């Protein structure tokens, strides 16, 4: 038996294609849809969600190294370098050398942006939950991350 919410969602959904049963196709379609929501929310204050993830890590762990960021954020070292450079240009983080190590610290501006970032994360989560359902968002997130760990 189908409940009313499922019927409404099915009526609004895009049509099923011959690729719908393909994980690669479906994961990319989901990624594009979720990215659009994140871009909209973080774009309100001139940031992208990948910058927000990194800035939150740097604020939470001042003096974090690029390799630690790479492990935590599941990004390549070259992507980490590019993101750090962008955040430096925006004066949200700064790099310091300590011997052979590079340490990344938040600036006061980066720290001050945290409440706005938290509000954007809340809006993103609410948006997902309204469209997918809170329970399904939690389950899907756990399943996708578990799969990412297994494949990565």
């Amino acid at each position: 038996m189908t409940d009313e919410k499922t019927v409404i969602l099915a009526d609004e959904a895009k049509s099923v294609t011959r690729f719908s049963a393909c994980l690669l196709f479906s994961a990319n379609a989901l990624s594009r849809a979720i990215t659009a929501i994140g871009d909209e929310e973080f774009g309100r204050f001139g940031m992208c969600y990948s910058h927000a993830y990194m800035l939150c890590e740097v604020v939470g762990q001042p003096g974090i190294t690029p390799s630690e960021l790479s492990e935590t954020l599941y990004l390549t070292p070259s992507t980490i370098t590019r993101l750090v450079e962008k955040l430096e240009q925006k004066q949200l983080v700064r790099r310091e050398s300590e011997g052979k190590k590079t340490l990344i610290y938040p600036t006061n501006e980066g720290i001050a942006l945290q409440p706005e970032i938290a509000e954007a994360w809340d809006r993103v989560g609410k948006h997902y939950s309204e469209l997918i359902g809170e329970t399904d968002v939690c389950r899907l997130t756990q399943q996708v991350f578990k799969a990412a760990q297994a494949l990565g």
Side-chain angles (χ1 to χ4, degrees):
M1 185 171 154
T2 315
D3 63 42
E4 188 176 335
K5 185 175 182 182
T6 304
V7 172
I8 292 169
L9 289 175
D11 289 344
E12 295 172 359
K14 290 188 176 187
S15 63
V16 174
T17 74
R18 65 187 180 126
F19 303 113
S20 298
C22 173
L23 179 59
L24 179 61
F25 177 86
S26 296
N28 279 299
L30 177 62
S31 177
R32 286 189 297 275
I34 290 173
T35 296
I37 293 168
D39 287 347
E40 179 182 335
E41 293 301 336
F42 287 95
R44 291 180 183 195
F45 54 96
M47 183 171 266
C48 68
Y49 65 90
S50 56
H51 292 148
Y53 282 124
M54 179 172 287
L55 184 56
C56 287
E57 282 299 302
V58 172
V59 168
Q61 299 180 66
I64 193 167
T65 66
S67 60
E68 291 169 328
L69 283 169
S70 182
E71 289 175 25
T72 303
L73 298 176
Y74 288 77
L75 296 170
T76 63
S78 62
T79 301
I80 293 295
T81 299
R82 193 169 23 87
L83 291 173
V84 169
E85 288 171 354
K86 288 281 188 183
L87 289 175
E88 276 184 316
Q89 289 171 0
K90 293 178 181 228
Q91 298 181 340
L92 300 175
V93 301
R94 62 183 167 75
R95 284 186 273 192
E96 288 184 14
S97 293
E98 187 177 279
K100 292 184 178 185
K101 273 188 182 177
T102 298
L103 306 176
I104 305 163
Y105 293 91
T107 63
N108 290 335
E109 293 86 352
I111 295 168
L113 202 54
Q114 292 305 291
E116 235 175 320
I117 290 172
E119 288 173 15
W121 285 130
D122 287 344
R123 288 190 303 268
V124 166
K126 285 178 187 171
H127 197 141
Y128 297 160
S129 293
E130 288 170 4
L131 295 171
I132 301 172
E134 190 170 337
T135 302
D136 288 338
V137 167
C138 291
R139 270 194 224 125
L140 180 61
T141 301
Q142 291 170 352
Q143 290 172 336
V144 168
F145 187 71
K146 184 177 177 180
Q149 285 180 308
L151 295 169

